[in-house]
Amino acid sequence: QVLAYNRRAFATASQRLLVTVTPAPGGDAPFQGEFLVGNRDVEELLPAAARERFLQASAGLWERGDLHVINVTSALDRGGRVPLPIEGRKEGVYVKVGSHGPFSPCLTSAVSPQSRFRCRLGQQPLASCYDTFAPHFSIRWCNLTLLQVWPSPTTPGPVWGSGVLEEGGGFQPPSAVPPRELLPAFLVTLLVPLAVAALLCLLLGHLMCCRREGV
């Protein structure tokens, strides 16, 4: 169930969608890159045309043609701040793109230690290629994340049988358990509290009767 609201009129609308998840034809993409688009809201990148334009811009940097969008997330869900009510301010969108081919040298240089050091100084990171996202998408290169995901090995599950005993394999019930002697435990459980209570009664009687003034 999808619940949407109108930012201007504050009206809400709900719609129930049935989503069918199918595995990718070639499996999950092992090379994934996540870009932070600073001049877009999340609803602006949800249409297919906008995502296709973003993939075309990504292909110019990635130097691959098998790119596909894995996830689109608002920057507010990642701890981003609500933009000021000024014309042109956007929330920001994280777009994760995957490919079966390795990263290009341009993307690798953008996440190098030298680039991270320049980002900490407030400077632009190193980039050895032309920014193909401009002017439609403003990428914050200091927030670029490159991931290399390999499929985890699956452990074989249990092998289920037919549920019918083999011929000659009769049921063997467990052997009889020898009887336990419960009398010592019963006496300890009963006598120890009684002895403690008797001692407390004697002590209390001694204090109240034999320690009174004049006795």
Side-chain angles (χ1 to χ4, degrees):
Q1 186 176 7
V2 180
L3 181 63
Y5 71 97
N6 191 329
R7 295 183 177 181
R8 296 180 177 84
F10 298 100
T12 59
S14 62
Q15 184 177 1
R16 190 176 184 87
L17 300 178
L18 297 179
V19 181
T20 303
V21 180
T22 58
D28 296 335
F31 299 93
Q32 301 177 7
E34 190 173 51
F35 302 88
L36 175 56
V37 186
N39 62 338
R40 287 289 186 272
D41 291 332
V42 63
E43 61 268 15
E44 297 177 357
L45 282 175
L46 291 179
R51 287 186 282 113
E52 184 64 28
R53 175 180 293 182
F54 188 85
L55 289 177
Q56 293 176 2
S58 303
L61 294 179
W62 205 305
E63 301 176 359
R64 299 289 301 183
D66 60 340
L67 300 178
H68 60 277
V69 176
I70 298 177
N71 189 22
V72 178
T73 308
S74 174
L76 300 181
D77 298 335
R78 300 287 188 87
R81 297 182 178 180
V82 178
L84 297 175
I86 303 177
E87 188 68 25
R89 296 294 180 93
K90 301 292 184 177
E91 298 174 356
V93 188
Y94 283 94
V95 183
K96 182 179 289 187
V97 180
S99 173
H100 290 274
F103 304 112
S104 64
C106 176
L107 295 177
T108 306
S109 62
V111 296
S112 61
Q114 295 81 3
S115 295
R116 298 304 186 190
F117 179 73
R118 291 173 61 92
C119 288
R120 288 193 294 268
L121 296 178
Q123 303 175 5
Q124 288 293 330
L126 299 175
S128 58
C129 56
Y130 177 72
D131 187 2
T132 58
F133 289 99
H136 302 287
F137 305 101
S138 177
I139 304 298
R140 299 179 182 175
W141 292 103
C142 290
N143 298 89
L144 175 64
T145 303
L146 300 182
L147 301 175
Q148 193 168 353
V149 182
W150 299 105
S152 57
T154 57
T155 57
V159 180
W160 302 100
S162 60
V164 181
L165 291 175
E166 299 179 358
E167 184 178 358
F171 175 69
Q172 298 292 337
S175 58
V177 180
R180 297 176 56 188
E181 186 64 30
L182 301 179
L183 182 60
F186 172 74
L187 294 178
V188 171
T189 305
L190 182 63
L191 295 179
V192 171
L194 290 177
V196 174
L199 291 176
L200 291 178
C201 290
L202 291 176
L203 179 61
L204 183 61
H206 175 72
L207 294 176
M208 297 182 64
C209 299
C210 300
R211 293 292 181 180
R212 297 180 62 185
E213 183 179 358
V215 177

